Amino acid sequence: MKLHCLIARPVQLMILIALAATISRSQNNFIVISPGDSPSTILMKAAAVRPSPRQLAWQSLEFIAFAHFGMNTYMDQEWGKGTEDPAMFNPTDFDARQWVRVIKDAGMKMLIITAKHHDGFCLWPSNYTTHSVARSPWKNGKGDVVGELSNACREAGLKFGVYLSPWDRHEPTYGDSPVYNRHFRNQLRELLTNYGDIAEVWFDGANGEGPNGKKQIYDWQSYYKLIRELQPNAIIAVMGPDVRWVGTESGYGRETEWSVVPDIVQNLGSTASGSQQDVVDGGFAPRDLMMDDLGSRPKIMHARTLLWYPAETDVSIRPGWFYHAEQDNLVKSPAKLVDIYCSSVGRNSLLLLNIPPDKRGKISDSDIEALRGMRTILDQTFKTNLAADATILASSDQPGHPAASVTEKSSNRYWIAAEGALSALLEVRMPEVRIFDRLVLQEELRVGQRIESFRLESWDGTHWKTVTHGTTVGYKRLLRFPPVASKRVRLVIDSSRATPTLATFGLYKSPPTVTIEPGGGSFETSTQVQLATETRDASIYYTLDGSQPTFQSLRYSGPIELTRSAQIKAAASYNGELCAEISEAQFTKCFKVQKLSLEKQANVKYSAIGPSILIDGQRGSLDFQDKKWIGFLGDDVVAVLDLGFARDIHSIIAGFLQQQGSWIFLPDEVQFSVSDDGDRWVEVGARKNSLSRTESVVVKDYTCPVKDVRARFVKISAKNIGVCPPWHAGAGEKAWLFVDEIMVE
C-alpha cells in the first residue's frame, strides 16, 4: 500500500533517473570515477557498486568460526619462533566432528583453520617442509588435521576455509623472495587442490624476520592468481581484494560501515589489462584500513575508483588466540558474545569468532557453555518478528517491489521507493499493541548499499516519538533500545545515495532479564536483596553460591534476607523456557570500615572516586578501566582501615589485578598487621607471590586468616614489583599495582 509522501523529491529528478538507468547496466563491484563527474554522479556511481556473487554469498554467512590450533597450543604461547620440536604436537583425543558440531550448534556457517601459523608448522603433511604433522607422534606421523576438518565440515554442511601465514619463521628460504614465493605457492596449491571446496583463504599482513634474519617481499598478485585459478569461488581475506579487516580485534564494528570504499584499486593499468581472472586483483595493493570513516560522502568525492570491499570483524572467545588452560575462567560470557554479535553482524560486517581447541584436540567445556548461552539468547530474541503480520504502508514504491516485501521471507523480494526518491517512509501497523526493543533492517545488496541515515518512530496515541536512529544499513543493521509498547511505528529514511531499498524490516523483543537491587556490596549483619524483571508473568530462579540457576533452583517470591556472604545468580523464565542471560551480584559480609587512609595516593589516571572505592563491597572486574580499581605506578600500597572500635577479627582479604600485557602485576608480597591505637603494629601474616610470565588476566585475593585477634585498626602493605621484568616488553619501566576491595571479616 502507498502512503501519502511527506518527503520532497529532488529538483534534478529526471537527470538522476537517466543517470541511474545508465549506471544500472554496469553490474560490477568496481567502478571508475571520471575527473569531470559531479557530486551527484559520484553518489549514483557509489550506489551502483554492488558485491560480486562470491562476496554476496560470503556476506550471507553472517557468522563464522576461526580455530587457532597448532604448535602454539602445546608450547602455551601465541607466536612461535619456528624452532619448536614437532614431537611436541600430539593431540590425545583429536575430534574434528566435535569441533564442527559445536560450531554448527552455535549458528556459525564456516570454519577457518590455521593450517600454518607464523612458526611454519603445517597441520597437513606438506611435501615442501619437514616441519609438519608428518614428523609428530600424533597418529604415528600419518595424521592430517586439515583433511579431517575439511571432511567433517563437508559432512555437516559447513563451509571450510584456511589460514596460511605468509610469514614463516621456520622456512630457511624465507627472505629470498623469489624462492620463498614459489615455496609459498606450492603449499597454497596443496591446500587448494587436496581438500575439496575452499570457501575462504585468510591472509594477515605479518611480515617479520625469518630464520636467516631477512624479511620477505610477498608476491600477493601471484597468490591471488593461483587462488582464482584453483578455487574461483573462494573469498580472499583480509589482506586480499574481496574482504577487508574491520581494523580492530575487539569484535566491534563501526557505527557507520560502508561496504563501498574509495581507492583500494590504485593501479588502473593493471586493472584494465585484465591480467588477472578478476579485474580488480592486478590493481589491488593490500593494506589495513583502520580509520573511523572509510566511505562517507567526503571520502568518496575525490576518489578515482570505488570498490565493494566489505568488512570482516574478528575476535577471540578468550583473551588469547590459542588455547591456554589458565584462561578457562576468562571465556567471554554469553551476554558479551551477544553484544559482539549485535555490534558486528548488526553493523554491516561478518563476525569471525575464534574458538581455540585445547591440547586434547577438542573445544573446551567452558567455550561450549558460553557458545550455547549465546545461541540461546539469540534464538530467544529473534524467534518471532513482531511485525510479520503487520500492514506496511510506504511513501512510494515501484511495480513488483511493494512495501509488504520487507516482512516476507522470500529472498527475492524487496521494497524500492519511487525512481529518483532520495528519502522515504515506511509505516508499520500491527494488529495490537506489542512490546519490542530490537530493530533489524537489511538492504537489498544486489542493487547496492544506499541508505545514509534513518530513524525509527513509534506512535503514542498523540505524537510520533523517535525510538532510535542510525546511519548505514547494508547487509544488516541491528539496533537495541529500551522496551517500547506500540501498535504503530514508522521507519523514516532521511537520506539515501540513490532510491532507497529495503529487503527486511523486523521488530523483536529480547528475553526478560533480572535486575538485582542493590547490585552487590558489603554488609555487616544482614541485608535485603530484591529481584525483578520487566516482563509480566515471568518467573525468576536464583542461586546464592555462584552456580548457574536452573528450574530446580530457588524460585523468587519476595525479598531475600542475606546473613552471610553470597554470590547471587538469577535468570528469568518465560513461556516455559529459562532465559540464558544471567544476572549476578556479589554480597560480602564484613565489618563496616569507619575510615580508610592511604600512605601514598593513587596515580591520578586510575584513582576512581578515591580510597573509599576499596571498601564499597563492589569488586573490580577484569577490565582495569572500569573505574573500580585504584592504580599505583611503581609505588607500594599501604592502606590503614579504622573499624571504629576493637573487633574480633577472623580474616583479612585484599584483592589485586594482574594483566601483564598492560604492565599490571600482582604484588611481590602482601603483609597484614593489626593495632589497637594505630601507632603500634603487630604483623599477623604475609603472603608472597612468585612472579611468572603469563597472558592470563586474573583477579586474585590475598587472604590472611587470623585466630584470637582483637583490634581496631588493620593495615595492608602490598609491595609493588617495582619495574617490569627483563622478559617483558616494558622491561625496566615502572610496573603498575592495581588494588580493589579490602575486607575484614
Side-chain angles (χ1 to χ4, degrees):
M1 298 178 65
K2 292 185 179 179
L3 189 70
H4 177 66
C5 184
L6 304 177
I7 306 168
R9 295 184 179 183
V11 176
Q12 306 92 339
L13 175 60
M14 296 309 296
I15 297 175
L16 291 177
I17 291 174
L19 180 61
T22 301
I23 293 176
S24 67
R25 289 193 287 269
S26 173
Q27 301 288 326
N28 210 332
N29 69 339
F30 164 72
I31 201 164
V32 176
I33 304 298
S34 302
D37 283 346
S38 67
S40 58
T41 300
I42 294 173
L43 281 180
M44 290 298 295
K45 283 188 172 183
V49 179
R50 59 210 60 190
S52 67
R54 61 172 167 262
Q55 287 175 318
L56 188 62
W58 170 87
Q59 187 89 61
S60 66
L61 299 176
E62 291 195 0
F63 185 21
I64 64 176
F66 220 160
H68 277 62
F69 184 64
M71 189 60 71
N72 289 337
T73 308
Y74 297 89
M75 303 302 295
D76 201 23
Q77 61 192 12
E78 287 290 301
W79 279 20
K81 297 179 180 179
T83 58
E84 295 81 9
D85 185 351
M88 296 298 296
F89 183 85
N90 192 18
T92 57
D93 192 19
F94 180 80
D95 188 348
R97 288 188 176 91
Q98 187 250 9
W99 298 21
V100 169
R101 185 167 58 252
V102 169
I103 289 165
K104 187 173 183 178
D105 288 348
M108 294 177 269
K109 296 181 176 64
M110 185 199 300
L111 168 62
I112 300 175
I113 180 63
T114 53
K116 183 185 77 169
H117 205 255
H118 310 323
D119 53 40
F121 184 79
C122 297
L123 294 182
W124 80 99
S126 174
N127 291 323
Y128 299 97
T129 183
T130 59
H131 200 51
S132 77
V133 289
R135 290 296 183 95
S136 78
W138 179 55
K139 296 191 174 182
N140 297 316
K142 303 298 182 182
D144 186 344
V145 172
V146 177
E148 291 197 37
L149 284 174
S150 64
N151 290 335
C153 285
R154 195 174 301 111
E155 290 174 3
L158 256 62
K159 294 187 180 298
F160 181 64
V162 293
Y163 164 103
L164 188 68
S165 171
W167 184 22
D168 192 323
R169 303 182 76 179
H170 176 83
E171 173 56 39
T173 65
Y174 185 90
D176 185 344
S177 293
V179 176
Y180 177 75
N181 280 324
R182 284 196 297 272
H183 169 83
F184 186 78
R185 287 192 298 271
N186 284 334
Q187 291 194 322
L188 186 57
R189 183 179 292 274
E190 287 181 320
L191 292 173
L192 299 180
T193 56
N194 296 334
Y195 298 102
D197 289 339
I198 303 296
E200 183 166 340
V201 181
W202 207 95
F203 296 133
D204 60 22
N207 188 356
E209 294 181 351
N212 55 12
K214 296 181 180 179
K215 284 193 175 183
Q216 172 75 18
I217 299 174
Y218 301 140
D219 186 359
W220 290 109
Q221 270 68 34
S222 73
Y223 307 162
Y224 304 155
K225 187 173 183 179
L226 185 64
I227 296 167
R228 299 301 192 209
E229 173 191 334
L230 299 176
Q231 296 282 347
N233 294 321
I235 283 289
I236 308 175
V238 293
M239 298 297 284
D242 293 325
V243 169
R244 62 182 159 86
W245 180 45
V246 78
T248 172
E249 293 181 341
S250 66
Y252 291 80
R254 296 172 181 81
E255 286 279 359
T256 300
E257 188 66 76
W258 286 103
S259 294
V260 178
V261 183
D263 293 331
I264 301 301
V265 180
Q266 297 181 336
N267 188 340
L268 295 180
S270 296
T271 302
S273 71
S275 58
Q276 299 276 353
Q277 294 94 325
D278 191 290
V279 69
V280 168
D281 293 354
F284 173 81
R287 67 185 190 274
D288 289 337
L289 297 167
M290 303 175 65
M291 301 83 75
D292 288 338
D293 179 8
L294 295 181
S296 68
R297 289 193 183 201
K299 288 290 183 180
I300 66 174
M301 282 301 153
H302 302 288
R304 296 181 64 203
T305 63
L306 297 173
L307 175 68
W308 188 276
Y309 200 33
E312 183 177 81
T313 303
D314 61 336
V315 66
S316 184
I317 198 170
R318 294 162 167 260
W321 288 86
F322 286 90
Y323 176 84
H324 307 287
E326 67 268 21
Q327 294 180 359
D328 282 348
N329 65 332
L330 301 176
V331 175
K332 290 178 174 61
S333 68
K336 179 67 172 178
L337 292 174
V338 169
D339 186 46
I340 287 172
Y341 175 91
C342 294
S343 304
S344 54
V345 175
R347 292 180 181 173
N348 189 35
S349 181
L350 179 142
L351 175 57
L352 174 61
L353 178 64
N354 180 62
I355 307 154
D358 59 24
K359 292 182 178 181
R360 300 172 302 164
K362 285 186 172 182
I363 296 173
S364 70
D365 291 343
S366 50
D367 296 49
I368 293 172
E369 182 179 342
L371 290 169
R372 283 175 177 166
M374 173 211 66
R375 187 69 259 163
T376 301
I377 295 173
L378 290 174
D379 289 345
Q380 290 174 342
T381 301
F382 298 108
K383 179 168 55 177
T384 303
N385 181 0
L386 299 173
D389 60 349
T391 299
I392 314 294
L393 309 177
S395 55
S396 66
D397 57 28
Q398 294 186 27
H401 299 283
S405 302
V406 299
T407 55
E408 296 176 357
K409 293 184 178 181
S410 171
S411 59
N412 296 315
R413 297 258 291 172
Y414 60 94
W415 163 77
I416 185 167
E419 193 72 64
L422 298 181
S423 54
L425 184 149
L426 286 175
E427 184 175 329
V428 179
R429 298 179 179 178
M430 293 173 281
E432 71 277 326
V433 172
R434 290 170 179 172
I435 300 173
F436 49 90
D437 57 10
R438 301 289 187 267
L439 169 68
V440 174
L441 302 175
Q442 291 185 277
E443 284 185 88
E444 178 47 68
L445 297 189
R446 290 173 296 178
V447 296
Q449 185 183 3
R450 304 182 176 194
I451 296 174
E452 293 179 303
S453 64
F454 65 90
R455 65 186 187 273
L456 180 71
E457 298 178 336
S458 68
W459 179 254
D460 67 0
T462 307
H463 302 95
W464 288 103
K465 292 187 175 181
T466 299
V467 174
T468 188
H469 59 87
T471 52
T472 48
V473 175
Y475 171 74
K476 180 173 285 188
R477 191 60 187 262
L478 198 163
L479 291 176
R480 295 168 287 178
F481 43 87
V484 172
S486 182
K487 64 184 296 184
R488 291 174 62 191
V489 298
R490 67 182 186 182
L491 180 73
V492 182
I493 299 173
D494 293 305
S495 177
S496 184
R497 290 181 171 179
T499 306
T501 72
L502 205 64
T504 298
F505 178 96
L507 295 175
Y508 300 88
K509 177 65 181 72
S510 62
T513 57
V514 178
T515 57
I516 303 176
E517 182 62 36
S522 58
F523 61 94
E524 191 164 6
T525 56
S526 66
T527 189
Q528 275 197 349
V529 180
Q530 292 186 323
L531 309 181
T533 178
E534 81 282 359
T535 303
R536 186 181 302 174
D537 300 328
S539 301
I540 299 174
Y541 293 85
Y542 69 96
T543 62
L544 300 175
D545 60 0
S547 60
Q548 296 295 102
T550 67
F551 282 117
Q552 285 68 50
S553 301
L554 297 169
R555 183 171 179 173
Y556 182 75
S557 59
I560 304 167
E561 186 82 14
L562 294 180
T563 57
R564 59 183 180 182
S565 296
Q567 183 183 5
I568 294 181
K569 287 191 175 183
S573 168
Y574 189 67
N575 289 335
E577 190 173 19
L578 197 64
C579 300
E581 192 160 352
I582 307 297
S583 301
E584 58 183 291
Q586 178 70 49
F587 295 88
T588 304
K589 183 178 182 180
C590 59
F591 292 129
K592 183 178 181 181
V593 177
Q594 300 298 322
K595 181 182 179 182
L596 181 144
S597 59
L598 296 173
E599 187 175 280
K600 292 183 178 180
Q601 295 305 307
N603 185 279
V604 65
K605 287 177 64 177
Y606 301 105
S607 56
I609 61 171
S612 63
I613 198 76
L614 300 179
I615 53 174
D616 68 347
Q618 301 280 348
R619 172 61 59 84
S621 70
L622 294 173
D623 179 4
F624 69 91
Q625 301 189 73
D626 68 1
K627 297 184 179 180
K628 292 184 178 180
W629 292 96
I630 289 185
F632 297 80
L633 183 59
D635 290 329
D636 299 338
V637 175
V638 180
V640 176
L641 287 67
D642 181 357
L643 304 180
F645 55 90
R647 308 269 197 152
D648 291 324
I649 297 172
H650 300 288
S651 68
I652 308 168
I653 305 166
F656 297 88
L657 177 70
Q658 175 179 263
Q659 188 172 337
Q660 294 180 0
S662 299
W663 301 11
I664 303 170
F665 295 83
L666 293 172
D668 182 59
E669 182 181 23
V670 182
Q671 297 176 339
F672 303 88
S673 306
V674 297
S675 171
D676 291 326
D677 56 11
D679 293 322
R680 292 167 296 178
W681 295 93
V682 176
E683 184 176 317
V684 293
R687 295 292 179 269
K688 291 280 292 180
N689 180 62
S690 178
L691 178 62
S692 60
R693 187 173 185 172
T694 179
E695 296 176 2
S696 178
V697 181
V698 299
V699 174
K700 181 176 179 179
D701 282 337
Y702 287 70
T703 302
C704 177
V706 294
K707 187 177 182 180
D708 300 327
V709 171
R710 185 175 177 83
R712 172 178 173 177
F713 297 93
V714 174
K715 181 193 291 185
I716 292 92
S717 303
K719 185 173 180 58
N720 194 316
I721 67 167
V723 297
C724 298
W727 45 259
H728 191 268
E733 299 292 331
K734 290 182 180 180
W736 284 96
L737 179 60
F738 272 64
V739 59
D740 183 49
E741 233 33 58
I742 300 174
M743 297 173 286
V744 181
E745 298 178 338

